[in-house]
């Protein structure tokens, strides 16, 4: 059983560009959350998707947007990239059959903005 | 405002020692407290979690102690091994039947277990 998968593994962009990151949840999971982890810090919640809708959002600007597809996979889009957007972006999924608090993380996408 | 404060920032112990990592939270609505382990280049992996209706939970060599009145919880690693060397994060979330399950993380503790 594959866990949470994310693509790409690494990405290098320049300031002002746009980026799309992808996540496939663990089999049987329907809720996807995205987190940003700056170097040496704990993950910070960006937003969460359930039933193809954004259900909750953290303290991130509108440059950060997302989408969830009918197969529960999800995308994170960041527009007008800033140097400060350089971070590890983590996707986490959770199951409808167990406590929804239990979130399982993917390996992340390392984004570098030059 | 940092809602979950974690200490120490780093910790070095000898093999077999019992490292203890502490966290304190502010929001009394939090009702789920997990610990995650993260190795370099990897995503966080759920280790153990506790809810506020119990004061202690053990899973293998990992134990969470929870003090609801003090709004504190801690992770103990028994008989620590060099393979336990990683960054550990405490987290907290609240949920009341809706979809409000976002995790709020501490800043992490870098644990080094020397052989």
């Amino acid at each position: 059983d594959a866990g949470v998968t994310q693509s790409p593994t690494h990405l290098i962009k320049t300031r002002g560009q746009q980026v799309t990151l992808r996540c496939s949840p663990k089999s049987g999971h329907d809720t996807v959350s995205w987190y940003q982890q700056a170097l040496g810090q704990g993950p910070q919640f960006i937003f969460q998707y359930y039933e193809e809708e954004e259900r909750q959002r953290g303290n991130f600007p509108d440059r950060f947007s997302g989408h969830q597809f009918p197969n529960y996979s999800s995308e994170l889009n960041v527009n007008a990239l800033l140097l400060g957007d350089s971070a590890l972006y983590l996707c986490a999924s959770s199951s409808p059959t167990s406590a929804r608090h239990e979130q399982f993380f993917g390996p992340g996408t390392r984004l570098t903005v030059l | 405002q940092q809602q979950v404060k974690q200490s120490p920032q780093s910790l070095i112990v000898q093999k077999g020692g019992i490292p203890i990592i502490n966290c304190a939270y502010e929001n009394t609505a939090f009702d789920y407290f997990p610990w995650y382990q993260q190795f370099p280049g990897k995503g966080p992996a759920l280790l153990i979690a506790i809810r506020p209706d119990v004061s202690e939970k053990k899973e293998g060599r990992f134990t969470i102690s929870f003090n609801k009145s003090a709004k504190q919880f801690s992770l103990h690693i028994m008989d620590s091994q060099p393979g336990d060397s990683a960054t550990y994060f405490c987290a907290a979330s609240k949920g009341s039947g809706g979809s409000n399950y976002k995790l709020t993380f501490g800043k992490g503790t870098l644990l080094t277990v020397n052989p």
Side-chain angles (χ1 to χ4, degrees), chain B residues 4-79:
Chain B
V4 179
K5 296 183 179 180
Q6 183 172 348
S7 63
Q9 187 174 1
S10 62
L11 187 55
I12 301 174
V13 299
Q14 294 298 121
K15 178 182 175 182
I18 306 176
I20 301 173
I21 305 171
N22 300 298
C23 282
Y25 63 97
E26 300 170 0
N27 190 339
T28 55
F30 286 145
D31 61 1
Y32 174 74
F33 303 90
W35 285 90
Y36 283 84
Q37 177 190 59
Q38 186 175 31
F39 293 104
K42 304 292 185 182
L46 179 64
L47 267 179
I48 184 173
I50 197 169
R51 296 187 185 276
D53 53 343
V54 297
S55 60
E56 185 176 277
K57 183 175 181 180
K58 293 182 180 181
E59 286 187 5
R61 295 185 295 109
F62 300 94
T63 298
I64 299 179
S65 297
F66 187 83
N67 186 330
K68 186 175 181 179
S69 61
K71 294 188 289 184
Q72 295 176 347
F73 57 109
S74 60
L75 177 70
H76 298 61
I77 305 175
M78 305 301 177
D79 187 27

